[in-house]
C-alpha cells in the first residue's frame, strides 16, 4: 500500500487533469500488449491497434524498442513520462530529449532485465533518444490517436463524477470519491495494490490526479518521490451490456423519443436522476425507466454518489451526440475496418501476447 500524506496546502493544490496524458497512455497501452489481464476491456482496441501496427511496419519497432523501454514490471524509467506531457505529446517528447544524460543512465540501470537489452544505456545519447521519440510519435499516431475521442469521453464522464464530489465535499470529497481502490483517511490517501508501497509526502507540492484509459486495475505513481507528484489512476471499465438481457437492437429502438433525448443531453454534463427528470419534464419515478433504457443500450453509465445516482455518457453515447450535432453523414462507400486475422502476423491475435519475453518483477500495471 502507498500512503500519500497531504497538508492543507496540498489539498488546495490538488487538481484533476482534463485530458489524457499521451506518454502515460503510450506506456500503459504497451503494457496491455504484454499481458492478457483485462484483455476483455480493450479487445476492440487490441485488434485494431495490432492490425495497424502490423500494416504500418511498426510492429518490429514496438517489440525491439518500445516494449523493452516500457516493460510491464516493477519499474520503468520516470523520464519517459515527464510532467510536460500533460501539455501534449510534442511537449512530452521535447522533455524526453532534454533529459540529462546522467539521469537517463541512472534510471535505465534500474530496469529489471536491462542486461537482456544492452542497447538501453545508449538512450543517454541524443541520437538514440531521437530515434525513441520518433518511434513514440509513430506509435501514438497509429495506436492511440484513433481512440482519442473515446478516451476523452471516458475521462469527461469520470471528471463529472469527481467534480460533483468536489462540489459536495471539497478536496476531501474529491479524494473520498476515488474509493474503493483508494481510501481517504485524513490527512492520508491510501492507495491499494500500489506496485511498491511506502509513504509519499507531498510537502506543499500538491498532487495531480490523472485518469488513464489504458491503466488496468492499479494506480501508478512516479518512482522518484522528488519529482512533481502525480497519481495515475484507472478509469472504471465495465463489461458491455448483455445483448440478451438488454434486448440487443431492441434496446436501441427504445431510445426514440423526446424524453430520452433530453435525459441523454443532460447526462453529457453529468446529471443526477432528479436533474435528469427536471430536464426532461417528467417525474423522478418516470425518469428511472428512461435512464434504464439508455443504460441498457450502452449510452449512459450510472454511479451512486452518496445519496444520489449520477448519470454520465459512455463513449458510445458521446459519439451519438457528436454525430447528431455534426449533421447528416456523407453517402456510404468509404472503407471500413475489418476484424484482425491471425494470418496478418503475431500481433493480430487478440489472445496472443505482444511481447519479447516474460517480465521480471512485480507488475507496475497489472
Amino acid at each position: 500500500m502507498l500512503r500519500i500524506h497531504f497538508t492543507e496546502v496540498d489539498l488546495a493544490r490538488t487538481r484533476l487533469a482534463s485530458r489524457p496524458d499521451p506518454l502515460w497512455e503510450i506506456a500503459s497501452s504497451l503494457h496491455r500488449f504484454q499481458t492478457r489481464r483485462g484483455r476483455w476491456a480493450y479487445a476492440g482496441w487490441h485488434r485494431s491497434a495490432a492490425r495497424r501496427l502490423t500494416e504500418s511496419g511498426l510492429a518490429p519497432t514496438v517489440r525491439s524498442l518500445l516494449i523493452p523501454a516500457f516493460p510491464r514490471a516493477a519499474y520503468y524509467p520516470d523520464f519517459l513520462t515527464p510532467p510536460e506531457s500533460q501539455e501534449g505529446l510534442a511537449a512530452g517528447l521535447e522533455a524526453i530529449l532534454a533529459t540529462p544524460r546522467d539521469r537517463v543512465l541512472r534510471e535505465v540501470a534500474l530496469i529489471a532485465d536491462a542486461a537482456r537489452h544492452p542497447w538501453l544505456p545508449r538512450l543517454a545519447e541524443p541520437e538514440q533518444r531521437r530515434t525513441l521519440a520518433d518511434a513514440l510519435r509513430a506509435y501514438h499516431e497509429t495506436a492511440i490517436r484513433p481512440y482519442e475521442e473515446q478516451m476523452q469521453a471516458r475521462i469527461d464522464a469520470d471528471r463529472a463524477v469527481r467534480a460533483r464530489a468536489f462540489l459536495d465535499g471539497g478536496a476531501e470529497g474529491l479524494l473520498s470519491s476515488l474509493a474503493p481502490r483508494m481510501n481517504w483517511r485524513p490527512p492520508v490517501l491510501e492507495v491499494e495494490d500500489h506496485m511498491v508501497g511506502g509513504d509519499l509526502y507531498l510537502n506543499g507540492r500538491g498532487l495531480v490526479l490523472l485518469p488513464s484509459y489504458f491503466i488496468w486495475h492499479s494506480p501508478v505513481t512516479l518512482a522518484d518521490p522528488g519529482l512533481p507528484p502525480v497519481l495515475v489512476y484507472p478509469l472504471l471499465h465495465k463489461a458491455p451490456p448483455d445483448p440478451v438481457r438488454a434486448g440487443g437492437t431492441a434496446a436501441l429502438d427504445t431510445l426514440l423519443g423526446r424524453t430520452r433525448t433530453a435525459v441523454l443531453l443532460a447526462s453529457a454534463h453529468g446529471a443526477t436522476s432528479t436533474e435528469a427528470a427536471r430536464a426532461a419534464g417528467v417525474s423522478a419515478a418516470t425518469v428511472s425507466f428512461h435512464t434504464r433504457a439508455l443504460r441498457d443500450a450502452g449510452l449512459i453509465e450510472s454511479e451512486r454518489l452518496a445519496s444520489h445516482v449520477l448519470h454520465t455518457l459512455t463513449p458510445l453515447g458521446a459519439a451519438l451526440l457528436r454525430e447528431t450535432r455534426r449533421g447528416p453523414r456523407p453517402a456510404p462507400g468509404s472503407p471500413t475496418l475489418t476484424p484482425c486475422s491471425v494470418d496478418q502476423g503475431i500481433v493480430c491475435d487478440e489472445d496472443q501476447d505482444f511481447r519479447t519475453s516474460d517480465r521480471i518483477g512485480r507488475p507496475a500495471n497489472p
Side-chain angles (χ1 to χ4, degrees):
M1 176 189 294
L2 174 68
R3 293 169 294 277
I4 303 177
H5 298 259
F6 288 74
T7 65
E8 291 184 1
V9 175
D10 294 312
L11 288 174
R13 292 182 175 176
T14 294
R15 67 180 182 87
L16 181 64
S18 62
R19 59 181 180 176
D21 183 304
L23 286 175
W24 276 106
E25 297 298 349
I26 286 174
S28 301
S29 68
L30 288 168
H31 294 160
R32 305 281 62 77
F33 280 122
Q34 300 174 61
T35 179
R36 291 186 177 89
R37 294 191 65 184
R39 179 67 57 84
W40 62 266
Y42 305 96
W45 170 82
H46 188 279
R47 286 192 297 268
S48 61
R51 181 182 61 252
R52 290 189 186 102
L53 291 170
T54 299
E55 292 173 350
S56 66
L58 279 173
T61 300
V62 172
R63 284 193 294 266
S64 63
L65 177 60
L66 296 186
I67 285 180
F70 293 87
R72 180 182 168 268
Y75 175 84
Y76 61 89
D78 286 336
F79 80 88
L80 294 175
T81 50
E84 291 84 353
S85 180
Q86 294 170 33
E87 302 302 320
L89 181 62
L93 294 179
E94 284 299 321
I96 289 177
L97 293 174
T99 306
R101 170 187 171 86
D102 289 347
R103 178 183 170 187
V104 175
L105 288 173
R106 182 173 64 253
E107 293 188 0
V108 165
L110 296 175
I111 297 178
D113 58 349
R116 301 177 63 180
H117 306 285
W119 57 267
L120 280 172
R122 294 205 299 272
L123 289 175
E125 304 301 327
E127 187 61 35
Q128 187 67 22
R129 240 177 303 159
R130 278 192 288 272
T131 299
L132 175 65
D134 290 342
L136 290 171
R137 188 180 294 107
Y139 176 84
H140 184 272
E141 184 67 27
T142 303
I144 304 296
R145 189 176 297 282
Y147 268 70
E148 279 187 335
E149 286 191 356
Q150 180 168 340
M151 293 162 60
Q152 187 64 57
R154 292 299 305 274
I155 286 179
D156 288 344
D158 182 80
R159 278 173 58 84
V161 174
R162 308 302 162 211
R164 182 69 58 136
F166 179 82
L167 290 173
D168 289 344
E172 296 198 50
L174 168 62
L175 295 173
S176 296
S177 75
L178 297 172
R181 293 193 179 101
M182 292 172 270
N183 297 302
W184 173 242
R185 304 184 191 280
V188 176
L189 180 66
E190 297 176 344
V191 182
E192 302 286 347
D193 300 321
H194 188 263
M195 56 181 176
V196 176
D199 293 274
L200 173 61
Y201 293 88
L202 300 180
N203 294 327
R205 295 174 295 169
L207 180 67
V208 174
L209 296 171
L210 182 61
S212 170
Y213 184 82
F214 285 108
I215 281 187
W216 176 253
H217 186 65
S218 300
V220 180
T221 59
L222 295 169
D224 185 347
L227 294 172
V230 59
L231 178 62
V232 191
Y233 66 91
L235 295 169
L236 179 62
H237 291 269
K238 297 180 180 179
D242 183 343
V244 175
R245 182 185 63 83
T249 57
L252 290 175
D253 293 340
T254 64
L255 295 177
L256 299 176
R258 186 175 303 171
T259 301
R260 288 184 189 134
T261 299
V263 173
L264 191 65
L265 288 169
S267 300
H269 303 287
T272 64
S273 295
T274 301
E275 292 166 342
R278 188 181 302 123
V282 298
S283 68
T286 301
V287 82
S288 64
F289 171 75
H290 297 293
T291 55
R292 185 183 307 113
L294 291 166
R295 192 164 51 248
D296 287 344
L299 296 180
I300 68 170
E301 291 180 348
S302 302
E303 180 174 341
R304 178 160 293 281
L305 193 63
S307 60
H308 303 289
V309 175
L310 187 67
H311 309 288
T312 56
L313 295 180
T314 64
L316 178 60
L320 176 61
L321 288 186
R322 213 166 31 240
E323 290 300 317
T324 301
R325 289 164 178 164
R326 286 174 182 169
R329 287 187 173 186
S334 57
T336 57
L337 296 176
T338 57
C340 188
S341 166
V342 294
D343 295 333
Q344 292 175 282
I346 185 172
V347 303
C348 288
D349 181 1
E350 70 169 281
D351 291 322
Q352 183 163 3
D353 290 349
F354 184 25
R355 58 186 176 181
T356 55
S357 64
D358 289 332
R359 296 295 117 207
I360 299 175
R362 189 146 47 103
N365 185 10

